Amino acid sequence: MSSYCYRRYVSRMFQNFGKLQPKSKSERHDQEPGLSCNSHKLMLYNDIIAPSYLGGFHMLPLGLRALEKLTRLVDYEMQAVGGQKIAMTSLAKENVWQKSGRWELAGAELFTLMDRQKHKFCLGPTHEELITNLLSSLSAVSYKQLPIRLYQITRKFRDEMAPKYGLLRGREFEMKDMYTFDTNKETALETYYTLCDAYDRIFDRLGVHYVKASGATGIIGGDLSHEYHYLVDIGQDSILTCDRCCVKMNKELASEDGQLPNSCQLPATECELQERKGIEVGHTFYLGNKYSSIFEATYKNQAGENIEYCMGCYGLGMTRILQAAIEVLSTEHNIRWPRLLAPHQIYIIPKKDGTRGDEYLAQAEHLSDLFTQRPQLRGEVVIDDRMTFTIGRRQIDADRLGYPYIVILGVKAMESTPLYEVIDTAKGQTIFMSKEQLLTFADTIETI
Amino acid sequence: MSSYCYRRYVSRMFQNFGKLQPKSKSERHDQEPGLSCNSHKLMLYNDIIAPSYLGGFHMLPLGLRALEKLTRLVDYEMQAVGGQKIAMTSLAKENVWQKSGRWELAGAELFTLMDRQKHKFCLGPTHEELITNLLSSLSAVSYKQLPIRLYQITRKFRDEMAPKYGLLRGREFEMKDMYTFDTNKETALETYYTLCDAYDRIFDRLGVHYVKASGATGIIGGDLSHEYHYLVDIGQDSILTCDRCCVKMNKELASEDGQLPNSCQLPATECELQERKGIEVGHTFYLGNKYSSIFEATYKNQAGENIEYCMGCYGLGMTRILQAAIEVLSTEHNIRWPRLLAPHQIYIIPKKDGTRGDEYLAQAEHLSDLFTQRPQLRGEVVIDDRMTFTIGRRQIDADRLGYPYIVILGVKAMESTPLYEVIDTAKGQTIFMSKEQLLTFADTIETI
C-alpha cells in the first residue's frame, strides 16, 4: 500500500481558500442564524464543513478525515465488545413506524415522503423499528447465539424546528446506533454495563472532559439510561453535578419542587449542586421488551419456546461529538481537535529563502518521507510548500487549522548538526530537536 | 489495537440463521419480484443482505464487511491519484436542482419531500449540482490549486420504476462519485485518463472479467465517456464487442441501421461483433463546462480572470459491484466473492470427536491466534465451533458462504507431525500442509 505514502502538499489541499475569518465572535459574516457559536464559525471559515441547506452540511476533506478517525475509534471499541457492524436503509416504510406508534409521536420531526407508487416512507432518525422488525423476520435464532450486538454508523435525518450551531443541531447527521438482543433482563444488564464501559473508553480516549449523567438509575426498577455530555454553554441540556456526592444527572430528572431523587447519599443541605449546560453526545438505554413485544421479535430458549428479546440501544452522535469537542477545546481563532482526531498530525514548514529555498523544501520532503515510512504516520504529514510565504504567515494557518505538531525548518535546520523547531500547538510549547530526537518523537505519535 | 485479534466463533456470527435455501433457481421462497436472479437469492438466504422495502436492503455483517473492503480498495486508488474525500448532504434543495434543469428532467426517479417550512428537497441520486454549487461558493481558488479532485462514497436514492435483482437495481444504494475541476480541456483530459487508469486498476484488482465500453470516443470532439460493465445475463445494457478489432461499445451508440461509428478499424465484413448483456458498474465522463457554466463556478487564472472549470465526473456503483461480482463468480448454491472482498479469509473447522473434541477446538484456537498475529489477517479468521456438527456439515456452510480458505483439523492434525487439510474454495482444490507450510501460506494471503 505504498502509494498512500505520497507526499501531501498544502498548496494542493482543499482547505481555507482565502476566506477571511471574522475578527471576533460578534462580527457575523453570514446570514445563517446561530453562527454565533465559535466551533461553527471556525469550521465554516476553515473549510472543515460547508453549508448545503439550513441544518445540512457537507463534510469537506479535513472534516471527513476527522470523522473517519472517530469512526475507526468507535468501530474498534464496538467490535471489541462483540459488536457486528451493519448498515440499515435510510428509508423506512410507514407501516413499520405506525406499528410502534412513533409515526405520529415523532410528528413534524420526521421527514416523510411518498414514492411513485404512493407508498409512504420516513427518513430514519433512529432505527429501533427497522432493527426489531429485521430480527423478527429471522427464523429460529437460538438462545446459544445471544447476545446479538448489532451497530451501524450511518446518516440520520431529523427535521429540527430550529436547526442551529452547525453540526450540533443539524437536520442530517452521522450517528452510531447499536441495538442489543439478550435472553433476559439479567444478561441485558450485563450487556448494558459492558457498553457503558466501552463508551467510557471511547470518551476517555478522546480526552475531552465529559459528564456521564444518570437517568433513572437506582430509582425505579424499570428503565435505565445514561447520557454522556460535553459541557458547553450552548448546550441544550441542564446537567446537575455535585463534587461532594455522586449526583450527576439531567435536570429533567429532578422532581418539580427541586427535590433530587434519593440517589444522593448526602443530606440535602450538604449536597453542593452545580448546574451546567451540556450537549448530549451519547446515550445508553435499556429498552427491555418494549420493541420486541410490538414486533414479536423472539428467540428460541432451551425448551424450544419463543421468548421476546430483552433489548438495549446505544447512541453516539458522531458529527456532534466532532463539533462539540472542537467547541470545548478551541480558542477564539484557532481550532483544536481531540489529538487522536486531528485530520493530519504533522505540519512541516520549510523556510522561505531566495537562494536556498529549494534546499529547505527538499529537506522538508525528506523528513516527510522518513515520517510516513512509519505505518502509523501514513497520510498524516503535510508539507507547506507555499514558499513565497514567510514561516510566520504559514505558522498562523497551521495553528488556526489545529495541526497538532508543527515542524519548522529554519536556519538551524541547515547547520551541520541540524536542529528542528517543533511546536505542540495544544500546549503552545516549542522545543528544538535533533533529527534523531524528532524521529523518536514521531514514533510516539499515536494515530487511529 | 490488539483486541481486534479476539477470536471469532461461527456460533456467535450473524449469518445464515437456519434459513432453507431454495433448491433450484425456479423455486421461489419469497413474494418479492425479481428474486429469480441467483446472486440476489444467495445473498438473501445467507444473511448477506436483508430486505427493508421493495428495492431497499439492509447490509448485514458479512455484506457490510465486503462493502467496507471495497471501500478501502477504492479509497486507496482514488487517493493515489490525488482524490480528496468528502461527504455531501443526501438532501438537496429544490432550487439547486432547478438551476440545472434536472429537477424536471429526472422526474419521477427523484425522491422528493418537503420540510416543515414547506421547502422542497430531493434525495440526491448523484451530486453534480451540489458539488458545482459548492465550488462556486468558494472565494478565489487559484489556478495553482488545480486540479481539484473530490470524491465521496455515500448513499444515493433513485425511485426506480421497477426495482429488482436486489442490489443490482435498487432504490437506495452506495455509490462512489468523484468530481474533478481543471483549468482547461487539455488538463481535464489528463485527469480523465488518469482516472480511467485508476478504474482499470480497481477492476483488475477485483479480478472479475470486465468490459470497458467506449461512449463517443474519437467520434465527436464533444463529450467523452467510458462505461465499465460486468457481463451478466440479467444486465440492462447491450454491449457490442469484437475480438478482431478494438470495438467495445454500448449498443446505444451504434447508429440506427446497425452501422458502427468509424472507430472500428476493420472493413465491416471482417468485424465479428458479439452482443452480450452487461451491467454498468462504473462510468467515467468528461463534462466540460456544462455545470460550471450554470453555477458560475470559476477559478482565477494567472491574469486574475475568472474562468469556468473544466469538469469530469466518475462513478462506481459500490453495492452493485458487490452483487454483480457475486453474480458472475458464484455457482448456483455457493457464493463466490472476489477474493479480496471476501468478508473473512480463513475458516477453521476442528473435528467433532466425543473424547478429543476439546483438543481439536483448542488447536483451532491456537491456529487462529497464530494467523491473527499477522497484521493483515486480523479479523480475517473464524472458527466453526459448532462441535455437534460433523466436519462435512460445517464444510457445506463454509463453502456456501464462500470463505476463500477452509482449514480442516481432522485426524491427521493430531499426529506427531500434524497435517492440515486446506481447501481453496474458488479453485475447488484440497492440499495437505504442515503447520509451517500453512503459516507460510497464510503470509501470502493479501487483504485490504
Side-chain angles (χ1 to χ4, degrees):
Chain A
M1 305 287 270
S2 61
S3 72
Y4 261 137
C5 304
Y6 64 87
R7 299 173 190 147
R8 288 168 191 268
Y9 295 101
V10 167
S11 67
R12 307 301 294 277
M13 286 173 69
F14 197 93
Q15 63 176 30
N16 192 248
F17 289 97
K19 282 200 190 98
L20 289 175
Q21 184 159 309
K23 286 208 180 64
S24 73
K25 284 183 191 174
S26 57
E27 187 184 332
R28 305 269 185 92
H29 279 238
D30 202 290
Q31 301 300 322
E32 196 164 2
L35 192 57
S36 54
C37 140
N38 196 43
S39 51
H40 186 194
K41 182 198 75 176
L42 287 171
M43 292 175 88
L44 279 182
Y45 282 92
N46 291 294
D47 292 317
I48 311 296
I49 60 174
S52 173
Y53 57 87
L54 183 63
F57 297 88
H58 306 306
M59 299 299 294
L60 299 182
L62 292 181
L64 190 63
R65 273 188 71 90
L67 186 62
E68 291 200 331
K69 288 184 177 195
L70 180 57
T71 297
R72 285 196 288 273
L73 173 60
V74 170
D75 275 339
Y76 176 77
E77 295 293 347
M78 290 297 104
Q79 291 177 23
V81 294
Q84 299 185 69
K85 195 173 184 181
I86 59 172
M88 285 180 270
T89 58
S90 298
L91 290 169
K93 283 195 287 193
E94 180 191 16
N95 65 345
V96 182
W97 272 69
Q98 287 286 9
K99 214 166 171 176
S100 72
R102 292 211 295 184
W103 182 271
E104 272 79 29
L105 209 65
E109 283 223 335
L110 274 191
F111 280 113
T112 61
L113 63 120
M114 264 194 303
D115 69 4
R116 60 162 92 209
Q117 277 90 25
K118 309 286 183 214
H119 296 125
K120 278 192 192 162
F121 293 85
C122 72
L123 287 172
T126 174
H127 279 82
E128 283 80 7
E129 280 80 0
L130 288 192
I131 190 91
T132 319
N133 197 41
L134 168 66
L135 265 284
S136 83
S137 76
L138 300 173
S139 50
V141 171
S142 156
Y143 68 97
K144 292 182 205 159
Q145 291 173 290
L146 303 185
I148 292 174
R149 294 169 182 166
L150 298 171
Y151 78 102
Q152 60 177 350
I153 298 177
T154 57
R155 205 162 287 186
K156 300 289 188 290
F157 302 85
R158 204 168 290 175
D159 195 353
E160 279 274 353
M161 172 82 92
K164 64 177 179 176
Y165 301 140
L167 306 179
L168 290 183
R169 215 178 304 167
R171 296 202 282 174
E172 187 173 336
F173 51 94
E174 293 288 316
M175 188 168 129
K176 188 283 298 177
D177 42 337
M178 176 180 263
Y179 305 93
T180 62
F181 302 86
D182 272 280
T183 48
N184 56 43
K185 183 164 184 180
E186 194 188 336
T187 55
L189 290 183
E190 272 173 40
T191 289
Y192 185 87
Y193 289 108
T194 300
L195 261 297
C196 280
D197 289 347
Y199 272 33
D200 290 344
R201 280 195 302 274
I202 289 168
F203 285 109
D204 286 343
R205 288 189 72 184
L206 287 174
V208 179
H209 173 70
Y210 66 96
V211 170
K212 185 178 176 180
S214 64
T217 311
I219 303 162
I220 319 164
D223 288 350
L224 174 66
S225 92
H226 283 88
E227 299 167 353
Y228 290 75
H229 287 268
Y230 280 163
L231 300 178
V232 293
D233 293 341
I234 51 173
Q236 271 183 299
D237 292 274
S238 291
I239 309 301
L240 300 175
T241 61
C242 167
D243 290 339
R244 302 188 61 191
C245 72
C246 58
V247 172
K248 286 187 167 58
M249 60 170 62
N250 198 310
K251 196 182 177 185
E252 292 170 354
L253 291 173
S255 60
E256 284 185 354
D257 58 354
Q259 204 61 27
L260 288 174
N262 61 3
S263 65
C264 180
Q265 307 292 312
L266 296 173
T269 49
E270 291 179 34
C271 186
E272 291 178 356
L273 278 190
Q274 286 193 302
E275 187 175 329
R276 297 282 309 269
K277 287 290 174 190
I279 184 138
E280 187 187 296
V281 284
H283 80 248
T284 56
F285 215 93
Y286 168 73
L287 292 171
N289 66 349
K290 179 176 173 184
Y291 293 93
S292 53
S293 153
I294 294 168
F295 290 96
E296 297 174 59
T298 61
Y299 68 93
K300 283 210 183 301
N301 72 4
Q302 211 155 355
E305 300 156 327
N306 291 327
I307 311 287
E308 287 165 5
Y309 292 108
C310 234
M311 290 175 57
C313 76
Y314 305 86
L316 285 176
M318 302 292 284
T319 34
R320 189 184 266 188
I321 287 174
L322 203 62
Q323 184 175 332
I326 289 174
E327 180 71 23
V328 171
L329 300 174
S330 299
T331 68
E332 191 177 333
H333 292 294
N334 296 333
I335 294 178
R336 290 295 175 264
W337 309 85
R339 228 270 301 131
L340 212 49
L341 303 189
H344 305 276
Q345 295 294 325
I346 301 177
Y347 192 97
I348 306 177
I349 307 176
K351 188 179 185 312
K352 159 191 181 179
D353 189 306
T355 50
R356 302 187 72 183
D358 287 351
E359 288 175 53
Y360 282 105
L361 184 57
Q363 211 187 126
E365 288 167 340
H366 174 63
L367 259 191
S368 169
D369 293 349
L370 288 178
F371 288 141
T372 52
Q373 275 165 21
R374 287 149 172 81
Q376 95 280 11
L377 291 180
R378 276 185 199 159
E380 295 294 335
V381 182
V382 302
I383 302 166
D384 194 336
D385 57 332
R386 299 173 302 168
M387 299 299 285
T388 57
F389 291 179
T390 62
I391 287 177
R393 168 72 182 76
R394 286 177 282 171
Q395 197 182 326
I396 289 170
D397 282 347
D399 211 21
R400 192 156 43 80
L401 286 156
Y403 289 91
Y405 306 109
I406 304 174
V407 178
I408 295 176
L409 275 58
V411 181
K412 288 189 177 165
M414 288 303 198
E415 289 174 0
S416 57
T417 310
L419 276 182
Y420 305 97
E421 192 179 345
V422 180
I423 300 167
D424 180 327
T425 57
K427 294 182 188 158
Q429 277 178 354
T430 301
I431 309 177
F432 278 88
M433 293 187 189
S434 68
K435 188 169 175 179
E436 197 181 39
Q437 286 170 324
L438 184 55
L439 293 176
T440 305
F441 171 70
D443 286 333
T444 68
I445 299 177
E446 190 198 0
T447 60
I448 192 157
Chain B
M1 305 288 269
S2 61
S3 73
Y4 262 138
C5 305
Y6 63 87
R7 299 172 190 147
R8 289 170 189 265
Y9 295 101
V10 167
S11 67
R12 307 300 293 277
M13 287 173 68
F14 198 94
Q15 62 176 30
N16 190 250
F17 288 97
K19 282 200 192 99
L20 288 175
Q21 182 158 309
K23 286 207 180 65
S24 74
K25 283 182 193 176
S26 56
E27 185 185 335
R28 303 268 185 91
H29 280 238
D30 201 290
Q31 301 300 321
E32 196 164 1
L35 191 57
S36 55
C37 141
N38 196 44
S39 52
H40 186 193
K41 182 199 75 176
L42 287 172
M43 292 175 89
L44 278 183
Y45 283 93
N46 292 294
D47 291 317
I48 310 298
I49 60 174
S52 173
Y53 57 85
L54 184 65
F57 297 89
H58 306 307
M59 299 298 293
L60 299 183
L62 293 180
L64 189 62
R65 273 189 70 90
L67 185 62
E68 291 199 332
K69 289 184 177 196
L70 180 58
T71 297
R72 286 196 287 274
L73 172 61
V74 170
D75 275 340
Y76 176 77
E77 295 294 348
M78 290 298 102
Q79 292 179 23
V81 295
Q84 299 185 68
K85 195 174 185 180
I86 60 172
M88 285 181 268
T89 59
S90 299
L91 290 169
K93 283 195 288 193
E94 179 191 17
N95 65 343
V96 182
W97 273 69
Q98 287 285 8
K99 214 166 173 178
S100 71
R102 291 212 295 183
W103 183 271
E104 272 79 28
L105 210 64
E109 281 222 337
L110 274 191
F111 279 112
T112 61
L113 61 121
M114 265 195 302
D115 69 4
R116 58 164 92 209
Q117 278 90 25
K118 310 285 181 211
H119 296 125
K120 278 194 193 162
F121 293 85
C122 71
L123 287 172
T126 174
H127 279 82
E128 283 81 6
E129 280 80 359
L130 288 192
I131 191 93
T132 320
N133 197 43
L134 168 67
L135 266 282
S136 85
S137 76
L138 301 174
S139 49
V141 172
S142 156
Y143 68 96
K144 291 182 206 162
Q145 292 174 288
L146 304 184
I148 292 175
R149 294 168 182 167
L150 298 171
Y151 78 102
Q152 60 177 349
I153 299 177
T154 57
R155 204 164 287 187
K156 300 290 189 287
F157 302 85
R158 205 166 290 174
D159 195 355
E160 280 273 355
M161 171 82 93
K164 62 178 181 174
Y165 302 140
L167 307 177
L168 291 182
R169 216 178 303 166
R171 297 201 279 174
E172 186 173 339
F173 51 93
E174 294 288 316
M175 188 167 128
K176 188 284 297 179
D177 41 337
M178 176 179 262
Y179 305 93
T180 61
F181 303 86
D182 272 280
T183 48
N184 56 42
K185 183 164 184 179
E186 193 187 337
T187 55
L189 290 183
E190 272 173 40
T191 289
Y192 185 87
Y193 290 108
T194 300
L195 261 297
C196 281
D197 289 348
Y199 271 33
D200 290 345
R201 281 196 301 275
I202 288 169
F203 286 109
D204 286 344
R205 289 189 71 186
L206 287 174
V208 179
H209 173 70
Y210 65 97
V211 170
K212 186 177 176 181
S214 65
T217 313
I219 303 162
I220 319 163
D223 288 350
L224 174 65
S225 91
H226 284 88
E227 299 166 354
Y228 290 74
H229 287 269
Y230 281 163
L231 300 179
V232 291
D233 292 342
I234 51 173
Q236 271 183 299
D237 293 274
S238 291
I239 310 301
L240 300 174
T241 61
C242 167
D243 290 338
R244 301 190 62 191
C245 73
C246 60
V247 172
K248 285 187 170 58
M249 60 170 61
N250 197 310
K251 198 182 176 184
E252 293 170 353
L253 291 172
S255 61
E256 285 186 354
D257 58 353
Q259 204 64 26
L260 288 175
N262 61 4
S263 64
C264 179
Q265 307 293 315
L266 296 172
T269 49
E270 291 179 33
C271 186
E272 292 179 355
L273 277 190
Q274 286 193 304
E275 187 175 331
R276 298 283 309 270
K277 287 291 175 189
I279 184 137
E280 188 187 294
V281 284
H283 82 250
T284 56
F285 215 93
Y286 168 73
L287 293 170
N289 66 350
K290 178 174 172 184
Y291 292 93
S292 53
S293 155
I294 293 168
F295 289 95
E296 297 176 60
T298 60
Y299 67 94
K300 283 210 184 302
N301 71 5
Q302 213 154 355
E305 300 157 327
N306 291 327
I307 311 286
E308 286 165 4
Y309 292 109
C310 235
M311 290 174 57
C313 75
Y314 305 86
L316 284 177
M318 302 292 283
T319 34
R320 191 184 264 187
I321 287 174
L322 203 62
Q323 185 176 332
I326 289 175
E327 181 70 25
V328 171
L329 299 174
S330 299
T331 67
E332 191 179 333
H333 291 295
N334 296 332
I335 294 177
R336 289 295 175 263
W337 309 85
R339 228 270 302 133
L340 212 49
L341 303 190
H344 305 275
Q345 296 293 325
I346 300 178
Y347 192 97
I348 306 178
I349 307 177
K351 187 179 185 313
K352 160 191 179 179
D353 190 306
T355 50
R356 302 187 72 183
D358 287 352
E359 286 175 54
Y360 282 105
L361 184 57
Q363 210 186 129
E365 287 167 342
H366 174 64
L367 259 191
S368 168
D369 293 350
L370 289 177
F371 288 141
T372 51
Q373 274 165 20
R374 287 149 171 81
Q376 96 280 11
L377 290 180
R378 276 182 200 161
E380 294 294 336
V381 181
V382 302
I383 302 167
D384 193 337
D385 58 333
R386 299 174 301 167
M387 298 300 284
T388 57
F389 291 178
T390 62
I391 288 177
R393 167 72 181 74
R394 286 176 282 170
Q395 196 182 327
I396 288 171
D397 282 347
D399 209 23
R400 192 155 43 81
L401 286 156
Y403 288 91
Y405 306 108
I406 304 173
V407 178
I408 294 175
L409 276 59
V411 180
K412 287 188 179 166
M414 287 304 197
E415 288 173 1
S416 57
T417 310
L419 277 182
Y420 305 97
E421 192 177 346
V422 180
I423 301 167
D424 180 326
T425 57
K427 294 183 188 158
Q429 277 178 355
T430 301
I431 309 177
F432 279 87
M433 292 187 189
S434 69
K435 188 170 174 179
E436 196 181 41
Q437 286 171 324
L438 184 55
L439 293 175
T440 306
F441 171 70
D443 286 333
T444 67
I445 299 177
E446 190 196 0
T447 59
I448 192 157

